[in-house]
């Protein structure tokens, strides 16, 4: 009986440990998946451009970092909430492409679609319009990203060229300076030799006069 009780206790302990590890794993999963709720300049810009319907400026934020589309403000809301709130078809199309979470909840437990100001029929029409523009907006976003990447590459190359040009000028200046020194020394040696020979000639001339 003692051995049987020990086996049962061991089995219960093992089950308990498995349960604990399952809870820990689940908690880690949710903590990793749950975005941080924090206000930021990028989110402020997204809110402004979405509310004003400025798609071009909205693109300028997303081409810098696509993850901005998934960010959440301090109240738990984010780009997808604002796309519904301000009925921005372009913004919603972009966010569908960027896989924003439709099931996300703000601090009050509300989801993005709940912020759409009109009725369910208009909501369906709004979503259909956005889905029809996903490919168009995706292509436009990729085009803007390529332009942005090209601009950064050109800027980098321009800085590199300037550095090389400055380095080249320094090398030329140094080379010119180095060439100048040997010429100065050589001129000094020639001048000294001329003076020496002139003195010899004067001396010989005086000796010749003395002999006469």
């Amino acid at each position: 009986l003692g051995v049987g009780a020990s086996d049962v206790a061991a089995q219960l302990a093992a089950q308990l440990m498995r349960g604990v590890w399952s809870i820990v794993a689940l908690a880690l999963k949710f903590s990793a998946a749950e975005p941080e709720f924090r206000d930021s300049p990028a989110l402020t810009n997204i809110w402004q451009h979405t509310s004003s319907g400025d798609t071009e400026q909205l693109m300028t934020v997303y081409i810098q970092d696509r993850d901005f589309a998934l960010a959440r403000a301090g109240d738990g809301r984010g780009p997808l909430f604002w796309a519904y709130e301000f009925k921005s078809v372009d913004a919603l199309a972009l966010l569908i492409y960027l896989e924003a979470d439709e099931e996300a909840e703000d601090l009050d437990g509300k989801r993005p679609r709940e912020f759409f100001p009109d009725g369910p029929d208009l909501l369906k029409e709004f979503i259909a319009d956005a889905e029809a523009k996903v490919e168009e907006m995706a292509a436009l976003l990729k085009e803007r990203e390529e332009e942005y990447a090209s601009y950064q590459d050109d800027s980098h190359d321009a800085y590199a060229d300037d550095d090389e040009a400055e380095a080249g000028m320094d090398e030329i200046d140094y080379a010119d300076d180095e060439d100048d020194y040997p010429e100065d020394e050589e001129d000094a040696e020639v001048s000294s030799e001329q003076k020496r020979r002139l003195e010899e000639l004067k001396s010989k001339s005086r000796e010749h006069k003395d002999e006469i």
Side-chain angles (χ1 to χ4, degrees):
L1 290 176
V3 174
S6 298
D7 292 340
V8 171
Q11 290 176 2
L12 289 174
Q15 291 177 358
L16 179 61
M17 287 302 298
R18 283 196 294 270
V20 169
W21 284 115
S22 296
I23 293 172
V24 171
L26 190 61
L28 290 174
K29 178 181 178 181
F30 277 105
S31 63
E34 188 68 27
E36 181 182 2
F37 293 174
R38 182 172 59 86
D39 295 331
S40 70
L43 284 172
T44 298
N45 288 332
I46 292 173
W47 183 91
Q48 290 175 342
H49 302 324
T50 303
S51 63
S52 64
D54 193 339
T55 302
E56 285 294 327
Q57 290 301 317
L58 189 60
M59 288 277 188
T60 62
V61 180
Y62 291 144
I63 62 176
Q64 296 176 53
D65 191 342
R66 289 189 175 193
D67 286 343
F68 287 148
L70 310 178
R72 307 279 286 279
D75 58 6
R77 300 171 192 173
L80 190 59
F81 291 79
W82 304 325
Y84 280 105
E85 180 181 0
F86 298 110
K87 300 190 294 185
S88 175
V89 172
D90 288 351
L92 181 58
L94 276 170
L95 293 166
I96 291 173
Y97 171 67
L98 296 173
E99 300 181 350
D101 186 8
E102 285 278 1
E103 301 302 317
E105 296 181 354
D106 67 3
L107 294 181
D108 296 325
K110 294 183 178 180
R111 295 177 180 175
R113 295 188 184 191
E114 295 180 50
F115 287 85
F116 189 75
D118 300 327
D121 291 338
L122 290 177
L123 174 60
K124 290 180 181 179
E125 183 179 337
F126 171 69
I127 295 172
D129 290 343
E131 289 175 344
K133 294 195 69 173
V134 170
E135 290 186 8
E136 176 188 343
M137 299 306 296
L140 186 59
L141 178 63
K142 291 177 181 178
E143 181 182 335
R144 294 291 185 272
E145 286 174 333
E146 290 173 0
E147 291 174 356
Y148 181 68
S150 178
Y151 170 77
Q152 286 188 314
D153 291 341
D154 290 344
S155 298
H156 176 75
D157 292 341
Y159 283 124
D161 290 343
D162 289 343
D163 291 342
E164 290 176 3
E166 291 178 3
M169 291 176 63
D170 291 342
E171 290 175 2
I172 292 172
D173 291 341
Y174 289 137
D176 290 344
D177 291 343
E178 291 173 357
D179 290 342
D180 289 342
Y181 287 117
E183 289 179 1
D184 292 342
E185 293 173 0
E186 185 177 345
D187 291 343
E189 291 176 0
V190 170
S191 178
S192 177
E193 180 65 19
Q194 287 176 342
K195 288 180 181 179
R196 187 181 65 79
R197 293 190 65 182
L198 182 61
E199 290 298 328
E200 288 180 355
L201 290 173
K202 287 181 180 179
S203 176
K204 288 180 180 181
S205 177
R206 284 194 297 270
E207 290 176 358
H208 181 68
K209 287 181 179 179
D210 291 341
E211 289 176 358
I212 294 174

